[in-house]
Amino acid sequence: MIKISNLKKSFANTQILHDINLHIKPNEFCVLLGASGSGKTTLLKILSGYETFESGFVEMDGRRFVGRVEAHKSRQIITQNYSLMPWMRAVDNIKFALRCAGFGESGEVERRALRFLELVGLGERAQNYPHSLSGGQQQRVAIARALSLDPKVLFLDEPFSALDPITRLNLQVELKKVVANATAVFVTHDIDEALFLGDKIVVLHGGEILKELKNPRFETHSARYFEIKAEIFRLISGERSEIEYVI
């Protein structure tokens, strides 16, 4: 469970987040959706411990954090910058993370790293260096590395935004499978991506949460799907409409 209460964040005397209140349930896939400058990435960075905040508190793993969330191996972040070490093969990137987190003896570390590469469809690429992998494959290594640490919470900051549409869709499908037993907080500006991935969609604008929506899971390309897309677009643009499916 993640609980955010009355959280505020400022940069250089400009308030970026205004009284954020949000409750994310265990194993829920929560999407933070908004345009550039809406505050979604700042909120994610606060939750993952990369940013401080001025007031309010965050509760996670039974602990209350004030000012800054303390980083922990049970919480992992994936960004669009894959952060792979170029001098290490794909499997070694994962093994290094596992050793740093204190996982088992070398044989178990090797088996675990290979298992998670297989999980994201890269078992045959385990010995490749990052430069010989495509952007989508590098991102899958980063996802495998994060998941290999058995995170209770996974934070994702627009991890697929730089990828081609086919690779992006394939990774979205893969992500839904592999995070089934974890809480995910996913940042995007893409409405289709939010509707495909999210159990809950939190729409931000100007540093405020305008709406929390329970995903109705309409059939893609149905009339109702396009209706809710249009309503969400109006919310992203700052209109405060009484959209259905509000939590």
Side-chain angles (χ1 to χ4, degrees):
M1 180 200 75
I2 300 173
K3 183 178 180 182
I4 306 166
S5 298
N6 303 317
L7 188 145
K8 296 179 182 177
K9 170 68 179 178
S10 299
F11 286 121
N13 299 319
T14 299
Q15 195 162 343
I16 305 300
L17 296 175
H18 307 265
D19 288 317
I20 300 295
N21 291 278
L22 181 62
H23 181 195
I24 302 170
K25 299 174 185 176
N27 297 343
E28 187 170 44
F29 200 119
C30 177
V31 175
L32 304 180
L33 177 66
S36 296
S38 63
K40 60 189 186 299
T41 294
T42 299
L43 179 56
L44 189 83
K45 287 181 177 179
I46 287 172
L47 294 177
S48 58
Y50 279 74
E51 288 281 358
T52 59
F53 54 99
E54 281 76 54
S55 62
F57 63 86
V58 176
E59 290 184 17
M60 217 180 300
D61 301 328
R63 296 184 59 190
R64 178 176 290 197
F65 299 99
V66 177
R68 186 168 208 149
V69 174
E70 184 180 310
H72 193 272
K73 68 180 182 181
S74 67
R75 301 186 292 274
Q76 295 294 316
I77 186 167
I78 300 171
T79 69
Q80 54 187 295
N81 300 315
Y82 320 125
S83 301
L84 300 179
M85 287 169 279
W87 60 90
M88 287 187 179
R89 295 169 296 179
V91 67
D92 294 327
N93 266 275
I94 300 174
K95 287 163 61 177
F96 180 76
L98 287 167
R99 290 193 190 99
C100 288
F103 275 79
E105 49 88 28
S106 59
E108 174 58 27
V109 165
E110 176 88 18
R111 286 189 293 273
R112 189 175 184 84
L114 289 171
R115 178 161 65 87
F116 278 89
L117 280 174
E118 290 281 356
L119 188 66
V120 297
L122 287 178
E124 294 181 356
R125 299 279 188 166
Q127 305 304 320
N128 285 54
Y129 289 92
H131 69 83
S132 66
L133 299 172
S134 68
Q137 289 169 337
Q138 290 182 54
Q139 188 61 294
R140 278 189 271 172
V141 174
I143 291 171
R145 179 179 58 189
L147 292 172
S148 72
L149 301 173
D150 278 343
K152 293 181 181 177
V153 183
L154 192 61
F155 300 109
L156 303 105
D157 185 12
E158 303 205 62
F160 309 142
S161 62
L163 304 180
D164 66 87
I166 299 300
T167 301
R168 182 173 184 165
L169 179 59
N170 288 338
L171 285 179
Q172 288 170 354
V173 171
E174 202 66 46
L175 181 65
K176 287 184 73 172
K177 294 177 186 175
V178 297
V179 300
N181 297 314
T183 303
V185 185
F186 188 101
V187 162
T188 186
H189 63 274
D190 187 295
I191 298 173
D192 287 305
E193 186 167 60
L195 286 168
F196 182 74
L197 291 171
D199 300 316
K200 173 161 66 182
I201 299 169
V202 179
V203 183
L204 290 98
H205 179 81
E208 298 181 71
I209 292 178
L210 293 190
K211 285 287 186 295
E212 291 181 48
L213 311 173
K214 182 178 180 180
N215 193 340
R217 301 290 184 191
F218 292 139
E219 187 70 27
T220 306
H221 305 310
S222 69
R224 302 210 72 185
Y225 182 87
F226 286 104
E227 285 173 7
I228 196 168
K229 271 189 69 175
E231 288 293 332
I232 292 174
F233 179 79
R234 283 192 278 273
L235 285 171
I236 290 174
S237 302
E239 295 183 25
R240 296 176 181 267
S241 63
E242 289 304 315
I243 189 171
E244 292 184 68
Y245 317 107
V246 175
I247 294 173

